[in-house]
Amino acid sequence: MSVKPNPLTTPAVLFVCLGNICRSPLAEAAFRVEVEKSGLAVAVDSAGTGDWHIGRAPDTRAQAVAQRNGLDISGYRARQVTADDFRRFTHVIALDESNLTNLRALMPADGIAELSLLLDHVAGREGQPVADPYYGDEAGFDITWADVTEGARALAARLARGA
Ligand code: 4NP
């Protein structure tokens, strides 16, 4: 007997940063790995609150850190968060507090998404941001990768528990 996933109970996770070219595509890529490992049925995407980079591939430094970790994110394209995202995604996950504040303001009255910070899902790191690496150097992207991987693992474990 095959069991179809219930669209109302299947989690759908959207990662959101400012530009959708550095942190949220990396969070998306790291989380896709965890979802695949765990066999979870989860829809995954990422977006930015800003519109400057719509349609662009991830920052070359983000593509490079993904590549160093065995992942190709060159096909990702930046998009901006829409009101409908809050109806389609069960979890809208901000990378930092400023993104979260913007998301709270954008959330429509009939939105169903749970809003949180990525690192809220990591025991002992609640409330912490994934720092914006855009104006920094290449090494900052390794820190971003470590942070998004830790958050992605914790979030996947939570969803696997049905929590
Ligand atoms: P992201 O990084 O929010 O992690 O994608 C940034 C990308 C672009 C800009 C700022 C942050 N920007 O100012 O264009």
Side-chain angles (χ1 to χ4, degrees):
M1 186 180 78
S2 75
V3 180
K4 278 194 180 164
N6 178 338
L8 292 177
T9 56
T10 300
V13 177
L14 180 69
F15 296 98
V16 179
C17 62
L18 181 59
N20 194 209
I21 55 167
C22 297
R23 292 164 294 171
S24 61
L26 290 173
E28 175 184 346
F31 188 64
R32 284 187 184 283
V33 170
E34 297 308 314
V35 163
E36 215 160 287
K37 270 198 228 159
S38 64
L40 284 167
V42 186
V44 188
D45 199 3
S46 64
T49 57
D51 64 0
W52 312 283
H53 303 285
I54 291 172
R56 299 231 181 105
D59 186 285
T60 52
R61 297 162 298 172
Q63 292 191 45
V65 75
Q67 201 78 58
R68 288 198 288 283
N69 289 278
L71 301 172
D72 179 3
I73 62 167
S74 62
Y76 288 19
R77 292 294 177 266
R79 73 170 182 88
Q80 192 173 25
V81 177
T82 67
D84 208 38
D85 284 327
F86 297 91
R87 304 181 189 104
R88 297 192 304 121
F89 289 90
T90 55
H91 300 72
V92 175
I93 305 211
L95 276 288
D96 69 25
E97 190 63 40
S98 157
N99 310 145
L100 187 57
T101 301
N102 288 330
L103 289 171
R104 287 199 183 107
L106 290 168
M107 174 111 155
D110 61 350
I112 53 104
E114 171 196 297
L115 306 186
S116 62
L117 286 174
L118 179 60
L119 293 179
D120 282 346
H121 301 277
V122 177
R125 298 199 66 183
E126 297 89 348
Q128 289 183 20
V130 173
D132 186 350
Y134 186 70
Y135 293 104
D137 59 15
E138 192 92 18
F141 282 77
D142 286 309
I143 295 169
T144 304
W145 180 255
D147 282 347
V148 299
T149 300
E150 198 177 3
R153 285 195 180 135
L155 179 62
R158 176 191 158 193
L159 295 178
R161 290 194 305 272

